[in-house]
Amino acid sequence: MQQLEPELKVALFDGNGKVLFSQSYLDYERGHRDLKIILPVYGRRLGEILIDETGSICFEDNKWKLAEIITLDPNIAAMNLLGKIAEAVIVRECAESIDTNKEFFQRARRTGTQMRTAARFHAVGTGLNSTKNRFPQRYNPSDPQRDIIWLDDDNIPALMYGASNRGAGIEAGLQIKVSTDGMRYILNDLLSRRYEVPLVYFPLYNDFERIVDALARKTVNDPITDEIRPINIGEDFIDVRALDYGVFDEVKSYLPLVLALINDEISPRDLVYEATHNPLLQNAVVSSVLQESPNTEPIIIH
């Protein structure tokens, strides 16, 4: 009998350790994540973001509705919504982790930052409902430059390193971009220096290096100093995976859920309720498993 090669899979386990669903680890990492695995694990958290922070899901006529204005291209609509979601995830993680806050904060300031300095400032999403409620004067969902800024306890914004020396008082901040095709949607923004703040990119289909290669030997006008210089990788253009891989992986997991919402494959109610009210999925967890054949017990590897 032919012996099958072991296969690495991602599996959803219930609270008793029983495998509910599984899929190829390679497909999972490439971004083709099975809704049956993603919905129970990430559905509630995504629902909270879409209701509380982006206002993308609302309760109307006694039912939950998707309030987003959907374009003719579902992928563009998904990327626009994921950009707002990524903003909310980064702000949340910066609030929960001083290390994460420092990583993003010092990139926004374009300089290394001591922990005690970073601890004085908290991340604020310019387009989030929490900002509208807490800092209405800083709420600006159509801000063309900064998706995230940092304020101290007196609501004074952090400045870019060296900005005060030039008398410009340029606020530190980050532009957040999420895409499955950065060569098409991100590259021109970088070459035109559309943003005066660093751009943090979520490469959902792992194309960060392709964009970096396309930027090689290119020069641009610095929007602050007006000097001709190259685009600095890690300063002007930043891979979010280098700052916090967990933030990247969470947003990547939302891609199939957002597409399913836009394409009416799942409803907002599914997102809000089904994942948390199904008794089989209580305390469910996702792990990577090594399975030698469909009939053998999987070995959990993390």
Side-chain angles (χ1 to χ4, degrees):
M1 185 175 71
Q2 183 179 7
Q3 186 174 2
L4 298 176
E5 290 292 327
E7 181 181 7
L8 188 61
K9 292 185 175 182
V10 172
L12 179 70
F13 294 82
D14 66 12
N16 297 317
K18 178 184 177 182
V19 176
L20 299 175
F21 308 106
S22 67
Q23 75 169 120
S24 162
Y25 179 82
L26 187 59
D27 285 344
Y28 186 88
E29 278 302 296
R30 285 175 174 171
H32 306 291
R33 301 187 172 184
D34 194 323
L35 280 176
K36 294 190 295 293
I37 294 175
I38 295 301
L39 181 58
V41 178
Y42 291 101
R44 180 177 182 178
R45 179 173 285 187
L46 178 58
E48 290 172 348
I49 292 173
L50 295 181
I51 294 170
D52 298 334
E53 287 289 18
T54 70
S56 304
I57 289 179
C58 61
F59 194 72
E60 187 178 297
D61 298 329
N62 292 319
K63 62 181 179 179
W64 293 102
K65 291 185 177 181
L66 188 64
E68 286 296 302
I69 299 175
I70 305 303
T71 68
L72 294 178
D73 187 332
N75 191 64
I76 293 177
M79 294 308 109
N80 289 338
L81 184 51
L82 281 167
K84 298 177 183 179
I85 292 167
E87 178 183 339
V89 171
I90 292 173
V91 168
R92 184 198 69 212
E93 290 302 306
C94 285
E96 294 180 356
S97 167
I98 58 174
D99 292 322
T100 299
N101 185 61
K102 179 188 174 185
E103 281 294 327
F104 284 93
F105 178 61
Q106 63 187 5
R107 300 307 175 108
R109 294 190 66 226
R110 294 183 180 273
T111 186
T113 303
Q114 293 185 346
M115 186 66 77
R116 65 173 179 268
T117 301
R120 291 175 40 227
F121 291 87
H122 49 271
V124 173
T126 58
L128 302 181
N129 285 344
S130 58
T131 302
K132 184 178 181 180
N133 296 330
R134 295 179 58 201
F135 313 103
Q137 72 280 10
R138 307 299 309 190
Y139 177 68
N140 184 5
S142 58
D143 189 327
Q145 286 291 325
R146 294 163 180 80
D147 292 317
I148 300 176
I149 59 174
W150 273 260
L151 303 177
D152 67 10
D153 290 338
D154 296 320
N155 297 339
I156 297 174
L159 302 180
M160 283 189 185
Y161 177 73
S164 58
N165 294 335
R166 292 192 292 271
I170 298 173
E171 290 187 10
L174 296 173
Q175 174 69 209
I176 310 301
K177 292 293 184 182
V178 179
S179 183
T180 56
D181 188 359
M183 291 291 290
R184 182 177 180 183
Y185 294 107
I186 307 298
L187 181 60
N188 286 338
D189 286 346
L190 293 166
L191 291 174
S192 65
R193 291 300 290 148
R194 180 178 178 183
Y195 307 111
E196 65 183 14
V197 299
L199 189 156
V200 175
Y201 180 46
F202 286 71
L204 297 186
Y205 283 0
N206 304 317
D207 61 352
F208 182 84
E209 288 74 18
R210 286 187 61 206
I211 300 173
V212 169
D213 289 343
L215 294 173
R217 295 180 295 279
K218 296 288 195 305
T219 57
V220 295
N221 272 15
D222 189 296
I224 298 174
T225 66
D226 204 33
E227 297 173 348
I228 302 296
R229 64 171 180 82
I231 295 173
N232 296 319
I233 307 305
E235 295 180 12
D236 301 313
F237 182 45
I238 303 166
D239 187 344
V240 70
R241 296 173 297 184
L243 304 184
D244 191 315
Y245 191 87
V247 166
F248 167 76
D249 195 64
E250 179 178 340
V251 173
K252 186 173 182 176
S253 293
Y254 292 150
L255 173 60
L257 291 174
V258 169
L259 284 172
L261 274 173
I262 291 172
N263 293 323
D264 292 325
E265 295 171 13
I266 61 174
S267 70
R269 187 184 186 283
D270 293 331
L271 203 62
V272 176
Y273 290 113
E274 185 172 304
T276 56
H277 285 69
N278 186 336
L280 288 176
L281 302 178
Q282 296 302 312
N283 303 315
V285 295
V286 170
S287 294
S288 296
V289 300
L290 188 65
Q291 193 163 26
E292 294 186 357
S293 74
N295 297 320
T296 61
E297 285 296 314
I299 303 170
I300 302 174
I301 60 175
H302 79 72

